[in-house]
Amino acid sequence: MDLKLILVAFVGLLYSSYSQKEGNECISANAKYCGECIQAGAKCGWCSDPNFLKQGETVSSRCDELQSLVKRGCNKTFIENPVGRRKIVKNTEVTDRNKAPKNLKPEDITQVQPQKVRLTLRSGEPQAFELKFKRAEDYPIDLYYLMDLSFSMKDDLENVKNLGTSLMKEMSKITSDFRIGFGSFVEKTVMPYISTTPAKLLNPCTGDQNCTSPFSYKNVLPLTSDGSRFNNLVGVQQISGNLDSPEGGFDAIMQVAVCGEQIGWRNVTRLLVFSTDAGFHFAGDGKLGGIVLPNDGKCHLENNIYTMSHYYDYPSIAHLVQKLSDNNIQTIFAVTEEFQPVYQELKNLIPKSAVGTLSANSSNVINLIIDAYNSLSSEVILENSKLPEGVTIAYTSRCKNGVTNKGENGRKCSNISIGDEVHFNISITSKGCPKQGKPEVIKVKPLGFTEEVEITLNFICECDCHSKGIKNSPDCHFGNGTYECGACRCNEGRVGRNCECSSNDVATEDMDQTCRKDNGTDICSNNGECVCGTCECNKRENPEERYSGQFCECDNFNCDRSGGKLCGGHGRCECRKCICDPGWNGTACDCSLDESTCLAKNKQICNGRGRCECGACKCDDPKFQGATCETCPTCPGVCAEYKDCVECRAFGTGEKKETCEKECNDFTLTKVPTRDKLPQPNSEPYPVMHCKERDANDCWFYYTYAVTNSTEKVVHVVEEPECPTGPDIIPIVAGVVAGIVLIGLALLLIWKLLMIIHDRREFAKFEKEKMNAKWDTQENPIYKSPINQFQNPNYGRKGAVL
């Protein structure tokens, strides 16, 4: 394949992938014909106007959201937009036993309404209808008792022997039409589940116990209304035995579910009571006995005995769920307390099932069945059959006491009593169209009930104009396509708006050359693809934005903007240039040509002090401001001009106090507590004039005058004027006296300090002179001491002789 073709395909794939994530679904579909367009979504429409497309636009540009098509100039009469429909085919009212005959047959009782619905689905457009459910009184019940007859259930069998008449007596309180049946099961008749020695096959029990031969499943008694017959047949049943602890109950449940004719199931409430004191084998366990074939889910009863247990594996849980649901069987697991947790988990996997704890000898089985039945019948759960590809279903329930649920909980209602009526809103949506496009049938029914709603789905896959198409039309290049819905639907192998090219010749050098504006530009300005020598421009995720032109060189979204709007909101963008509406000018159409907004009261443009630009005055002198250059807040004389009006409005004084309301109402006055609270020149985006004037009481008052950007005159005035006051004598006298006293004290302290300093100096001088008057007597050469001292030479010697 040509490298260029590969690149074009790759780019197209990337663009398509991106468009699917962003933008509207109609553009993302890249639809080539009307049927493909309407399948893209419920908001998508197709313009069949032959002259709708502009140069450079692809056929898929006909597919867009309805509002966008109208904005782009498609007349509503040319827009193809088929809608879905709903029709109730059969709508028999739910049975009211107070009004209906007493001896109604089961098939004449209606609990679900409507019974048949036909929906015509348009892709992405949901169609809904309401389902009504009413639990009928005295509704017939079939109950089949399936019992484990392994040796550990020996004492249980004794209590079940009288179950028939006792249970029928209790159930008569619920319904007058009750039937009961009985079946038993043990295990597969192969090793290692049972012993296959001849003796053990005859009597699998040990010691002197007399047991019957092992078997997989027996249909002992088909459903009957004769309770005595139930007691008699169950009374002659014998216990059997097996080797391992789990039992083959799943084989038995499968046969009970699928062998409706042998069991005798009617189209009424079907209950299966499964009684055991052990666990269960399931799919895969059969390999231990060399059984590898999966369970086929079919009936294999011969003479009421399951004959293929050695041939087919145990069924899986999912397989059982399917068969029980298909046959509207509600299961009650009556198990001993030891295995109650195991079967509780199994119950969570099987809808419309219940678990009851069986006493050690099954003495409570009747109460268990009654309680389980009441639990099951008080809840309604809707289920639907397999949906066609692309079809989804949603439920919303309106239960008792106004309780509403959605999602998965929208399928169910609980705590329903006999005669209660609940409603479900069922919404079905299709995405696209099935491959065959043929009608599909799905069914919705309450689990455990035979009644159902049959829903026939028809799909809108083509537009109405499709049937009017002209095959091999001359408008499609000598008959190379079908002309339908305003466009050519090309035959296989043909491409182009009019099917004028073969798909093998889409990309050639000669054709590419015709898609270039000149040799120095990209093919289709890099904004489109060259198809058959003609540029087909790319689409944007925003349906309002488009490429156009012979070479896709133009667009309607790359023009100048003003105020965040393309072309200021006063024009349209054509080929990257703004085409302004009348009365507007500029590259972004943001300049108004209307001068009426610049006209002053004196009928002059901007009061003769400026010029009108784009509908607003530009004052020649920066001192002037306002919409028409009418004010000069900083010009001399402004303070004097507004002095009397400010005085009369702020203080009620002045020359204009009598005419204040009449002559002084052209400005807004605001009082502030102090002068520092007045607006400052640099604190506002407009000029502020500070004024100081004297009022009638010879007091000074301060205010500011300004004209805001919205031409509003604003005055701020200090709420209290500054008035001159006379001298206060007492403080002055007190200050003078205090000053004199303080000065005297200061002088006295200074004198005292000087005296202290003088005395210290004199004393120091005296001490110095006193010291100078002393002399050293030992140094006087004239002085001679009058005392002579002599020492005895022998003083201090011992033994001295005198």
Side-chain angles (χ1 to χ4, degrees):
M1 183 182 288
D2 193 333
L3 178 59
K4 188 173 294 184
L5 271 175
I6 296 175
L7 290 175
V8 169
F10 179 68
V11 171
L13 182 62
L14 286 178
Y15 176 77
S16 175
S17 175
Y18 175 78
S19 297
Q20 288 175 2
K21 294 179 181 178
E22 304 289 340
N24 70 52
E25 56 190 354
C26 309
I27 292 178
S28 302
N30 200 26
K32 298 296 188 298
Y33 57 91
C34 187
E36 191 176 2
C37 175
I38 63 171
Q39 293 178 41
K43 297 181 180 179
C44 300
W46 178 271
C47 184
S48 59
D49 185 355
N51 302 316
F52 174 68
L53 294 181
K54 296 180 176 60
Q55 188 177 36
E57 291 185 333
T58 62
V59 175
S60 60
S61 298
R62 292 181 179 273
C63 183
D64 207 337
E65 293 183 351
L66 302 177
Q67 293 180 350
S68 181
L69 288 175
V70 174
K71 288 183 180 179
R72 291 170 56 192
C74 184
N75 193 297
K76 291 184 179 180
T77 58
F78 286 104
I79 296 178
E80 295 289 329
N81 178 37
V83 294
R85 298 179 298 277
R86 179 195 66 191
K87 183 179 180 181
I88 306 298
V89 179
K90 185 177 180 182
N91 194 31
T92 305
E93 289 286 339
V94 292
T95 302
D96 187 347
R97 296 308 291 266
N98 296 325
K99 300 178 181 179
K102 293 184 178 180
N103 298 324
L104 277 178
K105 296 179 180 180
E107 56 270 21
D108 296 329
I109 298 175
T110 303
Q111 298 183 110
V112 174
Q113 180 189 0
Q115 293 77 40
K116 288 186 179 182
V117 178
R118 183 182 296 119
L119 301 179
T120 302
L121 298 179
R122 159 83 185 272
S123 178
E125 181 186 51
Q127 292 294 326
F129 67 94
E130 187 173 89
L131 183 147
K132 184 191 298 183
F133 176 84
K134 183 177 182 181
R135 185 179 164 194
E137 300 177 24
D138 197 27
Y139 195 72
I141 298 173
D142 284 353
L143 185 146
Y144 192 84
Y145 196 90
L146 182 59
M147 185 173 183
D148 176 9
L149 284 187
S150 59
F151 187 78
S152 58
M153 293 287 287
K154 181 179 179 180
D155 54 343
D156 300 83
L157 181 59
E158 295 299 321
N159 286 306
V160 175
K161 289 180 179 180
N162 297 319
L163 178 64
T165 53
S166 301
L167 188 57
M168 293 197 76
K169 181 179 178 181
E170 290 297 323
M171 293 300 288
S172 65
K173 300 176 183 177
I174 299 174
T175 177
S176 60
D177 188 356
F178 176 73
R179 297 199 310 167
I180 190 170
F182 185 81
S184 60
F185 67 92
V186 181
E187 187 56 276
K188 287 184 179 295
T189 55
V190 295
M191 283 288 289
Y193 311 110
I194 67 168
S195 175
T196 56
T197 60
K200 290 295 184 181
L201 286 175
L202 292 175
N203 183 8
C205 301
T206 58
D208 57 351
Q209 299 291 336
N210 187 21
C211 298
T212 190
S213 299
F215 57 91
S216 178
Y217 162 67
K218 286 181 183 178
N219 178 27
V220 177
L221 175 65
L223 291 163
T224 178
S225 56
D226 187 353
S228 301
R229 187 181 175 200
F230 179 95
N231 294 344
N232 294 334
L233 284 175
V234 174
V236 299
Q237 297 304 304
Q238 288 184 297
I239 293 297
S240 185
N242 61 316
L243 295 179
D244 62 341
S245 176
E247 314 294 1
F250 277 15
D251 273 341
I253 293 177
M254 177 62 76
Q255 293 304 300
V256 171
V258 299
C259 297
E261 185 176 347
Q262 290 88 334
I263 301 297
W265 292 118
R266 299 177 295 169
N267 285 331
V268 296
T269 299
R270 299 175 177 180
L271 299 178
L272 169 61
V273 179
F274 182 83
S275 176
T276 184
D277 64 348
F280 49 81
H281 285 294
F282 52 90
D285 288 354
K287 293 180 180 179
L288 294 173
I291 303 172
V292 296
L293 283 177
N295 194 286
D296 64 350
K298 296 180 180 179
C299 181
H300 297 288
L301 289 185
E302 293 183 11
N303 297 322
N304 287 321
I305 296 177
Y306 179 40
T307 59
M308 301 298 285
S309 67
H310 64 286
Y311 190 74
Y312 290 112
D313 193 7
Y314 302 98
S316 66
I317 296 175
H319 200 181
L320 273 183
V321 170
Q322 178 192 346
K323 292 301 179 180
L324 289 171
S325 175
D326 290 346
N327 293 280
N328 307 305
I329 296 173
Q330 304 177 63
T331 310
I332 300 172
F333 295 104
V335 298
T336 55
E337 185 174 3
E338 178 185 358
F339 288 93
Q340 199 269 347
V342 175
Y343 283 90
Q344 189 66 44
E345 292 296 323
L346 182 60
K347 171 221 176 247
N348 296 333
L349 300 174
I350 302 179
K352 290 296 279 187
S353 61
V355 177
T357 303
L358 196 65
S359 61
N361 58 4
S362 298
S363 59
N364 68 330
V365 67
I366 293 179
N367 292 333
L368 185 153
I369 292 173
I370 298 296
D371 292 342
Y373 169 74
N374 289 331
S375 174
L376 289 172
S377 60
S378 67
E379 182 177 56
V380 58
I381 303 175
L382 295 186
E383 69 163 1
N384 52 267
S385 60
K386 185 179 180 181
L387 298 172
E389 184 179 359
V391 175
T392 57
I393 188 168
Y395 296 88
T396 301
S397 62
R398 298 200 311 275
C399 308
K400 290 175 63 176
N401 303 321
V403 177
T404 302
N405 296 308
K406 294 182 179 181
E408 278 303 308
N409 290 329
R411 293 174 175 266
K412 63 178 70 174
C413 280
S414 303
N415 301 320
I416 301 173
S417 304
I418 293 175
D420 285 344
E421 189 176 285
V422 293
H423 300 263
F424 296 88
N425 183 273
I426 301 176
S427 176
I428 299 178
T429 308
S430 172
K431 185 63 177 175
C433 203
K435 294 180 180 179
Q436 296 80 10
K438 297 179 180 179
E440 299 275 358
V441 176
I442 62 173
K443 296 180 179 180
V444 175
K445 67 176 183 179
L447 277 174
F449 294 86
T450 57
E451 297 175 72
E452 61 189 13
V453 181
E454 182 182 286
I455 307 169
T456 302
L457 304 179
N458 296 294
F459 301 92
I460 300 176
C461 300
E462 290 289 353
C463 299
D464 294 337
C465 58
H466 169 72
S467 60
K468 303 175 184 178
I470 303 173
K471 293 185 177 181
N472 303 318
S473 171
D475 292 330
C476 300
H477 196 71
F478 305 107
N480 286 316
T482 301
Y483 188 79
E484 65 177 48
C485 303
C488 284
R489 187 170 182 175
C490 297
N491 295 336
E492 188 174 355
R494 304 298 296 184
V495 293
R497 183 181 291 190
N498 296 317
C499 310
E500 64 270 25
C501 290
S502 169
S503 57
N504 297 326
D505 302 328
V506 170
T508 64
E509 290 296 330
D510 292 337
M511 288 185 178
D512 286 351
Q513 190 62 34
T514 63
C515 293
R516 297 180 188 270
K517 191 173 183 180
D518 52 57
N519 291 334
T521 57
D522 294 325
I523 295 176
C524 299
S525 306
N526 203 28
N527 293 323
E529 297 178 14
C530 186
V531 180
C532 297
T534 303
C535 283
E536 290 191 355
C537 303
N538 293 335
K539 290 185 294 185
R540 305 270 297 175
E541 63 267 19
N542 184 346
E544 303 294 333
E545 300 177 357
R546 298 184 302 277
Y547 292 108
S548 60
Q550 182 180 354
F551 306 101
C552 301
E553 73 279 11
C554 297
D555 62 58
N556 67 342
F557 54 87
N558 274 322
C559 292
D560 290 340
R561 295 175 180 268
S562 177
K565 296 181 180 180
L566 193 67
C567 297
H570 303 297
R572 64 188 185 279
C573 181
E574 291 186 2
C575 205
R576 303 187 179 184
K577 288 185 179 180
C578 285
I579 307 299
C580 299
D581 295 337
W584 293 89
N585 200 356
T587 59
C589 300
D590 54 351
C591 182
S592 174
L593 300 179
D594 184 11
E595 292 188 348
S596 62
T597 55
C598 298
L599 200 63
K601 294 180 180 179
N602 59 7
K603 306 302 179 182
Q604 289 184 324
I605 298 296
C606 302
N607 275 296
R609 298 166 180 162
R611 60 194 182 280
C612 189
E613 294 182 0
C614 299
C617 282
K618 299 293 182 183
C619 302
D620 295 331
D621 190 338
K623 292 188 298 181
F624 289 92
Q625 65 179 127
T628 57
C629 303
E630 74 277 8
T631 59
C632 179
T634 58
C635 292
V638 170
C639 292
E641 179 182 353
Y642 283 90
K643 177 242 181 187
D644 291 335
C645 282
V646 172
E647 181 181 354
C648 76
R649 287 189 57 180
F651 311 112
T653 60
E655 296 180 2
K656 292 188 177 182
K657 67 178 181 179
E658 302 297 334
T659 60
C660 193
E661 293 184 3
K662 182 178 179 181
E663 299 181 7
C664 302
N665 58 0
D666 61 336
F667 61 89
T668 302
L669 186 139
T670 304
K671 292 184 178 182
V672 297
T674 59
R675 289 171 61 183
D676 59 349
K677 300 296 183 181
L678 290 172
Q680 301 303 313
N682 297 329
S683 64
E684 303 295 336
Y686 43 81
V688 177
M689 184 69 175
H690 278 258
C691 300
K692 176 182 178 183
E693 297 293 334
R694 194 181 294 272
D695 65 8
N697 297 321
D698 205 27
C699 298
W700 294 103
F701 64 94
Y702 299 88
Y703 67 94
T704 62
Y705 172 82
V707 180
T708 65
N709 294 333
S710 59
T711 69
E712 181 184 6
K713 298 175 184 178
V714 177
V715 172
H716 288 77
V717 61
V718 179
E719 59 185 2
E720 292 293 338
E722 294 183 2
C723 298
T725 56
D728 194 348
I729 301 301
I730 294 177
I732 293 175
V733 172
V736 171
V737 172
I740 294 172
V741 172
L742 291 174
I743 292 173
L745 289 174
L747 293 175
L748 200 61
L749 289 173
I750 294 171
W751 176 80
K752 182 63 176 176
L753 180 62
L754 292 175
M755 291 301 294
I756 291 172
I757 294 172
H758 178 266
D759 290 344
R760 288 183 177 179
R761 286 179 176 177
E762 289 297 322
F763 181 76
K765 183 178 180 183
F766 170 77
E767 288 292 327
K768 183 178 181 181
E769 291 178 353
K770 182 180 177 181
M771 293 295 296
N772 290 336
K774 292 182 179 181
W775 59 85
D776 189 357
T777 55
Q778 292 182 354
E779 294 180 357
N780 190 348
I782 301 176
Y783 179 75
K784 186 176 180 179
S785 178
I787 300 173
N788 290 323
Q789 292 181 349
F790 298 93
Q791 185 175 358
N792 186 359
N794 294 322
Y795 179 75
R797 296 180 181 178
K798 292 181 179 181
V801 179
L802 297 177

